[in-house]
């Protein structure tokens, strides 16, 4: 109870990071299409007086998109966030946030110059008090009003192009449920028409970077409302699990004694209300989820369709997925073959990497296995197991990055499904993040995984490794340049020798001893060269 009260008070004082900044959810900001809030530190927009950032036009990617979405100008999420705002804060250095009032992930301190590296741990390796604290933090987030962000309850058109703002308050936890819904919802085309083949967070290259950002922001929000700067999300390593071992009252809630679809009343998660789960209702009404409570969390692990997901993923399947060398391939959607992303996401067979949407593997398998709120994409974040699951999925992504060390250019720059090109901004985050910015090691973003930790590097190693890595990535070009250089040198050497022999024949009668001496020295130098 004391923890709850302290956290609630902290929530009132601390800023948040998420969707529509409250200070920009008004008629003036929407009509001006500008979201550049003042930073409290100096009272200037984007902290400009303190050189933290400035209000600038948003530069949108012009790279072509894939064919999956054949429309233009019908969805507020197209060219995010330009339908709502075309000017936002551009932060300098290590500053970040909708008003440049925070530090980039991996940095801290008053000037954001101090590096951080926190460790995400296996939930079963937490002490009893650490585990109880994590559960209390989750419950605190569910009952703490978000002070700096609101959600949109209508489209931009329904807001009369900004002159009639439609926003509402939401708690910290449900803000993230709503963001996950908003990124994956269908496009409303008017009447009763919708377009379902669209998702800004799934079924394409951005799946892994998007959820990486989602977890980082969620983690930071928990740190803020609790004042616990060292908090990290634990993960559930579900490889080879026989059943849902976290589905107990000691952890994420056991099964209800009389209704297998509900959680045990002994768990406080049984009192949680879900939001954003009725997609067909929203579609028929051409409306957005407005975060109204829609009933308790549903979960019936293991009683799913066994023909689609017979069991939880195995270690062998994860290892096969990690062996795939291509991050993305082909159509770059759920039909992609031999794609690490598509195989990890679960649309390709984890034994062959061939697309098979009739089956659910790896990431998708866990969602289907839970057989409840987790199994419906748009509302899946309602179940707190979501964060444990996606933290482990992110750790597999991290393993792949460390094993294959891809260059940024491996992430597709063009022709991916809408919202998933490298330079596209991720929907629906404000401040803005590009997909490609999170296609890099987690340690650069300030966190590591307990089971992936490596020995600490010396300062010299930390200095030299980036240069060694750059050399590794361009070694083919270096070898090619060396071969070409050697060939050119040999040709020049031959030409010089030929010229000297010709000169020897024409001038040897005049100064035979001097020429022989010079010729000897020159040939020796060239031979040594």
């Amino acid at each position: 109870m004391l923890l709850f009260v302290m956290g609630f008070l902290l929530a009132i004082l601390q800023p948040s990071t998420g969707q529509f900044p409250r200070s920009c959810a008004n008629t003036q900001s929407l009509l001006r299409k500008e979201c550049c809030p003042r930073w409290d530190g100096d009272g200037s927009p984007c902290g400009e007086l303190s050189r933290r950032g400035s209000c600038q036009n948003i530069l949108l990617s012009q790279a072509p998109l894939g064919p999956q979405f054949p429309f233009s100008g019908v969805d507020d999420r197209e060219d995010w966030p330009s339908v709502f705002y075309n000017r936002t804060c551009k932060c300098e250095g290590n500053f970040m946030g909708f008003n440049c009032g925070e530090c980039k992930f991996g940095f801290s301190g008053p000037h954001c110059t101090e590096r951080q590296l926190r460790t995400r741990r296996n939930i079963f390796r937490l002490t009893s008090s650490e585990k109880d604290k994590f559960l209390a933090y989750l419950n605190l987030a569910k009952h703490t009003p978000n002070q700096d962000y609101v959600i949109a309850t209508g489209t931009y058109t329904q807001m009369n192009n900004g002159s009639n703002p439609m926003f509402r308050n939401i708690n910290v936890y449900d803000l993230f449920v709503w963001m996950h819904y908003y990124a994956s919802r269908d496009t409303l085309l008017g009447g009763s028409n919708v377009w379902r083949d669209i998702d800004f967070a799934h079924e394409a290259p951005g799946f892994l970077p998007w959820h990486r950002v989602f977890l980082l922001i969620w983690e930071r929000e928990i740190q803020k409302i609790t004042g616990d700067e060292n908090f990290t999300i634990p993960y559930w390593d579900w490889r080879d699990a026989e059943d849902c071992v976290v589905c107990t009252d000691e952890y994420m809630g056991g099964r209800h004694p009389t209704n297998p679809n509900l959680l045990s009343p002994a768990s406080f998660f049984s009192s949680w209300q879900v939001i954003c789960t009725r997609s067909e209702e929203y579609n028929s009404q051409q409306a957005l989820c407005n975060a109204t409570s829609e009933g308790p969390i549903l979960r019936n692990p293991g009683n799913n369709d066994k023909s689609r997901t017979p069991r939880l993923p195995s270690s062998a399947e994860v290892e096969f997925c990690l062996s795939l060398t291509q991050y993305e391939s082909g159509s770059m959607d759920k039909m992609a073959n031999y794609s690490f992303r598509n195989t990890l996401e679960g649309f390709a067979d984890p034994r062959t990497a061939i697309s098979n949407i009739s089956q659910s593997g790896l990431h998708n398998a866990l969602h289907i296995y839970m057989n409840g709120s987790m199994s419906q994409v748009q509302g899946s974040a309602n179940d707190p197991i979501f964060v444990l699951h996606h933290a482990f999925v992110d750790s597999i992504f991290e393993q792949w990055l460390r094993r294959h060390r891809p260059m940024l250019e491996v992430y597709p720059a063009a022709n991916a499904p809408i919202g998933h090109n490298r330079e596209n901004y991720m929907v629906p985050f404000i401040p803005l993040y590009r997909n490609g910015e999170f296609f890099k090691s987690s340690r650069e973003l300030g966190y590591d995984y307990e089971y992936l930790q490596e020995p600490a590097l010396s300062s010299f190693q930390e200095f030299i490794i980036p240069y060694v890595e750059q050399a590794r990535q361009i070694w083919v070009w270096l070898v090619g340049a060396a071969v070409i250089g050697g060939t050119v040198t040999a040709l020049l050497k031959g030409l010089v020798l030929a010229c000297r022999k010709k000169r020897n024949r024409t001038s040897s009668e005049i100064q035979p001893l001097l020429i022989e001496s010079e010729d000897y020295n020159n040939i020796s130098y060239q031979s040594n060269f």
Side-chain angles (χ1 to χ4, degrees):
M1 184 55 129
L2 178 61
L3 175 65
F4 182 89
V5 173
M6 291 178 63
F8 186 84
L9 292 174
L10 282 165
I12 297 175
L13 301 174
Q14 296 291 343
S16 299
T17 304
Q19 225 277 322
F20 289 93
R22 185 182 299 275
S23 54
C24 299
N26 55 69
T27 301
Q28 182 181 11
S29 295
L30 290 172
L31 293 179
R32 294 177 59 186
K33 287 184 171 290
E34 181 175 293
C35 183
C36 296
R38 299 179 182 278
W39 176 53
D40 290 341
D42 62 13
S44 66
C46 312
E48 185 169 10
L49 293 178
S50 301
R51 298 184 179 179
R52 299 177 78 96
S54 58
C55 190
Q56 296 189 16
N57 293 333
I58 296 170
L59 299 178
L60 297 173
S61 170
Q62 301 301 312
L65 303 171
Q68 293 85 353
F69 187 69
F71 305 98
S72 178
V74 299
D75 194 308
D76 292 346
R77 300 167 296 179
E78 296 177 53
D79 288 326
W80 180 261
S82 61
V83 169
F84 295 96
Y85 312 108
N86 54 33
R87 284 173 62 81
T88 61
C89 288
K90 178 176 174 55
C91 304
E92 303 296 334
N94 295 329
F95 298 115
M96 188 184 81
F98 66 83
N99 61 356
C100 301
E102 299 182 359
C103 298
K104 283 184 177 179
F105 301 117
F107 291 89
S108 65
H111 303 292
C112 299
T113 54
E114 301 169 17
R115 290 302 303 254
Q116 290 180 327
L117 185 64
R118 300 185 178 96
T119 301
R120 292 179 180 172
R121 299 168 58 198
N122 188 321
I123 190 168
F124 292 113
R125 294 178 65 89
L126 300 180
T127 66
S128 180
S129 61
E130 289 171 335
K131 179 261 299 177
D132 291 342
K133 184 169 64 174
F134 166 64
L135 300 179
Y137 285 178
L138 285 172
N139 205 37
L140 174 62
K142 187 72 170 179
H143 295 91
T144 300
N146 195 293
Q147 298 299 308
D148 285 281
Y149 277 85
V150 292
I151 62 168
T153 57
T155 65
Y156 191 68
T157 299
Q158 291 168 347
M159 295 184 195
N160 196 21
N161 297 328
S163 62
N164 180 35
M166 298 172 65
F167 299 96
R168 69 165 289 179
N169 297 324
I170 196 167
N171 67 60
V172 172
Y173 187 95
D174 284 350
L175 172 66
F176 289 88
V177 177
W178 190 90
M179 287 195 294
H180 192 265
Y181 147 79
Y182 190 81
S184 55
R185 70 175 178 85
D186 301 330
T187 294
L188 307 177
L189 295 175
S192 59
N193 300 314
V194 298
W195 185 262
R196 301 181 189 277
D197 189 15
I198 184 170
D199 196 315
F200 290 83
H202 305 86
E203 303 179 13
F207 166 67
L208 293 167
W210 191 96
H211 285 83
R212 172 164 280 195
V213 173
F214 182 87
L215 292 180
L216 280 166
I217 298 173
W218 191 91
E219 198 169 58
R220 179 167 286 188
E221 290 311 300
I222 298 297
Q223 293 166 359
K224 290 176 184 175
I225 66 171
T226 62
D228 183 355
E229 295 183 355
N230 294 315
F231 168 78
T232 55
I233 299 171
Y235 58 86
W236 171 29
D237 183 348
W238 35 248
R239 291 174 296 182
D240 304 315
E242 295 292 331
D243 53 29
C244 181
V245 290
V246 296
C247 296
T248 65
D249 289 337
E250 183 183 0
Y251 286 92
M252 311 308 292
R255 198 186 301 269
H256 193 283
T258 59
N259 187 338
N261 294 315
L262 299 178
L263 301 186
S264 164
S267 168
F268 54 61
F269 294 126
S270 65
S271 66
W272 280 25
Q273 290 284 302
V274 301
I275 64 170
C276 302
T277 62
R278 300 174 181 173
S279 57
E280 293 306 315
E281 180 179 316
Y282 314 144
N283 289 346
S284 65
Q285 297 174 357
Q286 294 286 294
L288 299 184
C289 164
N290 62 8
T292 299
S293 297
E294 296 173 348
I297 294 174
L298 301 178
R299 189 197 300 157
N300 191 349
N303 290 322
N304 57 288
D305 181 358
K306 295 297 194 297
S307 65
R308 186 177 187 84
T309 304
R311 54 172 172 75
L312 291 172
S314 68
S315 297
E317 290 170 339
V318 171
E319 183 55 37
F320 173 79
C321 181
L322 286 167
S323 72
L324 299 172
T325 57
Q326 296 184 83
Y327 178 76
E328 198 54 89
S329 67
S331 57
M332 295 184 280
D333 56 18
K334 60 186 176 184
M335 302 305 295
N337 296 323
Y338 307 111
S339 155
F340 164 74
R341 187 276 313 162
N342 202 36
T343 305
L344 177 54
E345 189 169 358
F347 294 108
D349 192 308
R351 296 162 297 182
T352 65
I354 301 297
S355 173
N356 183 359
I357 58 176
S358 68
Q359 300 288 304
S360 294
L362 297 181
H363 157 265
N364 287 350
L366 199 290
H367 280 278
I368 298 300
Y369 180 88
M370 287 301 159
N371 193 31
S373 301
M374 274 273 283
S375 306
Q376 192 256 357
V377 175
Q378 295 177 16
S380 58
N382 278 293
D383 191 327
I385 290 178
F386 180 96
V387 293
L388 303 179
H389 169 46
H390 272 276
F392 189 65
V393 170
D394 183 72
S395 79
I396 298 174
F397 176 35
E398 182 61 23
Q399 283 192 73
W400 187 86
L401 290 172
R402 296 185 190 184
R403 181 177 300 189
H404 299 282
R405 297 181 180 274
M407 297 176 68
L408 177 60
E409 287 71 22
V410 167
Y411 189 98
N415 301 312
I418 184 170
H420 288 265
N421 282 341
R422 185 194 309 153
E423 297 302 313
N424 287 151
Y425 291 116
M426 298 182 188
V427 175
F429 302 122
I430 298 176
L432 306 178
Y433 307 104
R434 298 183 189 273
N435 290 306
E437 293 173 6
F438 294 85
F439 192 71
K440 59 185 177 183
S441 172
S442 68
R443 286 175 293 196
E444 294 183 51
L445 299 169
Y447 71 100
D448 201 350
Y449 286 95
E450 185 179 42
Y451 79 108
L452 299 181
Q453 284 183 316
E454 299 172 0
L457 300 176
S458 67
S459 57
F460 174 75
Q461 287 175 306
E462 289 182 342
F463 171 79
I464 200 67
I465 280 179
Y467 299 99
V468 174
E469 181 61 21
Q470 289 179 20
R472 184 192 69 81
Q473 293 176 350
I474 63 171
W475 71 272
V476 174
W477 304 103
L478 293 175
V479 171
V483 171
I484 294 172
T487 303
V488 171
T489 299
L491 290 173
L492 290 175
K493 174 182 176 180
L495 289 173
V496 171
L497 287 173
C499 290
R500 290 194 178 282
K501 288 180 179 179
K502 182 177 180 181
R503 190 172 67 175
N504 289 345
R505 287 195 298 270
T506 58
S507 60
S508 58
E509 295 178 359
I510 303 174
Q511 291 178 314
L513 295 179
L514 179 60
I515 292 301
E516 286 177 3
S517 175
E518 286 185 351
D519 207 38
Y520 175 81
N521 289 332
N522 287 334
I523 291 174
S524 296
Y525 179 78
Q526 291 166 2
S527 297
N528 290 337
F529 175 73

